[in-house]
Amino acid sequence: MTGMIEAAQAVLRANDKGGYTVPTARLYPFQWNWDSALVALGWVTFDPERAWRELERLLEGQWDDGMVPHIVFHVRSDDYFPGPDVWGTRHQPATSGISQPPVLATVLRQLWEETGDDNRAATLFPRVLAWHRWWAAARDPEGGGLVAILHPWESGMDNSPAWDAPLARVPATPTTPIRRRDTGHVDAAMRPHDEEYRRYIHLVDLFRGVGWQASAMWRCAPLKVADVAVNAILYRAEQDLLVLAQRFGEAAERAEIAERLERQRNALDRLWNGEAGLYQSLDLLGGERIPVCTSGGLLPLFARHPGPTRAARMAREIERWGQHVRYLVPSLCPSDPRFDPKRYWRGPVWAIINRMIAQGLEHYGEAALAARIREQTAELMWQSGFSEYYDPTDGGACGGSNFSWTAAMALCWAAR
Ligand code: GLC
């Protein structure tokens, strides 16, 4: 175990660019939103000061309207496309124009509880509250209780098969020429297809055209999905924000958060699919639930949304997936014909998702299954290093290597 901890710490140190951690060298040379938040959970196990810096540097990218962007471009680099010129946002430091799964409040609470640093938590609390307000105002303007992603990258699960149908409505005709850099760094068979890339960049062109203004984006967006993972993570984050608000907030803020929680709890219910035994995203433009079973649909366990019967049903579903693959938890149900064990979010296993699911299972008393997921994740790391993700059939390394959030999960799992 000591060898693993030292190796994981070395990955974070090597990817440290001065207060922020890049996900991995070359492939992702900037600061990513949910990567950084989760990586802070690794830093806090051996360098609490550095963990706080990670969050502070991420929030240097926060917009006036509260949005915390999915990438902060602290430096220039030609290794990544689309870079700051393509996004064309006005913020300094340069950022992308979309967001990512809001794990930040949950991480902030954990850092505060572990370090007892009231000053820092008090400073960051209003910033995170502003971000949650942005989700509600910009991405749920009608107040139904589910927030929408307007770009697949906002889900953090970029090319999940759940986005295939909604993305097919997005024209594959960007004005910006595509200059993919990712396939120069890793095998193209592990990355999204060119066609998907054209649609991703079309969306960026479209939103840049309306100046990244939230209400204009909402009006023109050809893709609007209530992603189950983002909504579950947000629901969990609001619970953690409420705990922080009890210490650092005002009564009105607590009431506001509690009200959002109530709305979200009811709305998340609409995403439950009893037959499938998990939750699914909702296509807000098509008006239907997206009938794809992804690991994102298990994150309501982490959010503590399901009642005990539902949670048990979800646990049995995970076990059923486990009969088809050697390593849990694949990002897509392995009996789905689209299951592709090596391609980005269409089958592989991610350590960060495993940790959230395992935490959720523990909460519901599914200790044996949680332990199995945890042990299998450790085995993947021993066998294939701190890879970006892993093939669930043979445990092979996929994507980038020496990956920060994978190393961070090794550290926080070892620390408990
Ligand atoms: C990919 C992932 C996303 C992650 C980023 C950096 O785009 O899909 O979730 O944040 O890489 O690791």
Side-chain angles (χ1 to χ4, degrees):
M1 208 55 185
T2 328
M4 167 95 91
I5 291 172
E6 276 164 9
Q9 292 180 354
V11 167
L12 294 198
R13 287 208 182 91
N15 289 340
D16 181 3
K17 297 293 171 215
Y20 72 94
T21 316
V22 295
T24 183
R26 310 282 320 272
L27 182 61
Y28 300 117
F30 311 107
Q31 186 174 22
W32 260 257
N33 183 328
W34 73 324
D35 292 67
S36 265
L38 294 165
V39 162
L41 297 179
W43 280 114
V44 78
T45 63
F46 67 106
D47 188 347
E49 174 61 28
R50 183 58 189 74
W52 285 109
R53 281 302 289 149
E54 189 77 32
L55 303 192
E56 289 163 357
R57 296 233 57 192
L58 175 64
L59 287 166
E60 287 173 16
Q62 185 169 32
W63 288 16
D64 289 345
D65 67 0
M67 200 264 282
V68 182
H70 100 295
I71 305 175
V72 187
F73 299 103
H74 291 289
V75 290
R76 292 203 72 86
S77 168
D78 271 344
D79 276 331
Y80 182 80
F81 175 84
D85 302 342
V86 180
W87 290 97
T89 61
R90 277 184 290 273
H91 194 274
Q92 274 311 319
T95 69
S96 71
I98 56 172
S99 204
Q100 246 190 347
V103 290
L104 187 55
T106 301
V107 170
L108 177 59
R109 176 182 172 186
Q110 193 173 326
L111 255 53
W112 171 56
E113 287 176 347
E114 284 182 19
T115 65
D117 192 334
D118 282 355
N119 286 340
R120 277 175 134 144
T123 311
L124 297 189
F125 163 76
R127 311 282 299 272
V128 182
L129 173 62
W131 189 25
H132 285 206
R133 286 178 175 155
W134 173 85
W135 277 108
R139 297 315 176 76
D140 179 23
E142 282 133 43
L146 292 171
V147 297
I149 56 165
L150 305 186
H151 193 298
W153 292 344
E154 279 193 317
S155 71
M157 303 185 183
D158 303 11
N159 67 330
S160 164
W163 320 142
D164 288 358
L167 193 63
R169 282 192 230 110
V170 175
T173 49
T175 50
T176 301
I178 309 278
R179 295 180 306 120
R180 288 186 71 168
R181 291 287 192 264
D182 57 327
T183 43
H185 303 308
V186 300
D187 185 349
M190 298 179 185
R191 299 285 311 177
H193 292 290
D194 280 350
E195 164 94 8
E196 284 159 337
Y197 247 81
R198 285 195 290 276
R199 297 182 202 276
Y200 298 153
I201 301 304
H202 177 95
L203 288 170
V204 173
D205 288 340
L206 184 69
F207 298 144
R208 188 185 58 244
V210 297
W212 299 105
Q213 210 267 324
S215 54
M217 286 169 70
W218 183 260
R219 278 193 301 274
C220 75
L223 180 141
K224 254 182 221 175
V225 174
D227 168 25
V228 57
V230 164
N231 280 283
I233 286 170
L234 182 61
Y235 180 63
R236 167 67 193 260
E238 296 275 25
Q239 296 170 51
D240 294 315
L241 193 69
L242 186 56
V243 171
L244 291 163
Q246 266 137 21
R247 177 73 176 75
F248 304 108
E250 318 254 315
E253 291 165 343
R254 289 191 286 277
E256 166 201 329
I257 298 166
E259 201 184 298
R260 277 203 301 271
L261 270 167
E262 173 72 11
R263 231 175 312 143
Q264 290 164 356
R265 186 164 51 77
N266 294 330
L268 265 173
D269 234 26
R270 292 169 53 208
L271 305 187
W272 171 249
N273 181 338
E275 248 162 73
L278 44 59
Y279 293 66
Q280 290 172 329
S281 299
L282 196 65
D283 182 350
L284 296 175
L285 292 179
E288 4 14 89
R289 211 166 38 209
I290 301 173
V292 180
C293 299
T294 66
S295 56
L298 301 165
L299 291 180
L301 289 167
F302 171 69
R304 303 175 179 173
H305 183 266
T309 313
R310 250 187 219 182
R313 171 75 182 88
M314 292 167 83
R316 304 295 80 77
E317 191 57 21
I318 297 171
E319 285 169 352
R320 203 181 64 76
W321 291 14
Q323 291 164 5
H324 299 267
V325 288
R326 209 159 123 209
Y327 298 95
L328 288 169
V329 178
S331 41
L332 180 66
C333 166
S335 50
D336 186 307
R338 282 160 296 196
F339 177 75
D340 183 343
K342 288 199 191 323
R343 199 178 292 275
Y344 232 48
W345 299 107
R346 302 179 82 87
V349 179
W350 264 261
I352 53 149
I353 304 296
N354 277 8
R355 181 156 181 279
M356 290 190 238
I357 293 174
Q359 278 189 331
L361 288 168
E362 262 166 26
H363 170 78
Y364 288 100
E366 296 281 351
L369 184 55
R372 179 172 157 199
I373 292 174
R374 182 180 171 180
E375 281 152 22
Q376 290 188 347
T377 312
E379 203 179 310
L380 287 168
M381 293 174 184
W382 281 116
Q383 185 187 315
S384 302
F386 301 115
S387 285
E388 183 174 6
Y389 52 97
Y390 304 91
D391 180 330
T393 61
D394 63 8
C398 297
S401 54
N402 297 322
F403 220 83
S404 298
W405 67 11
T406 311
M409 293 304 101
L411 292 171
C412 57
W413 243 332
R416 342 168 301 155

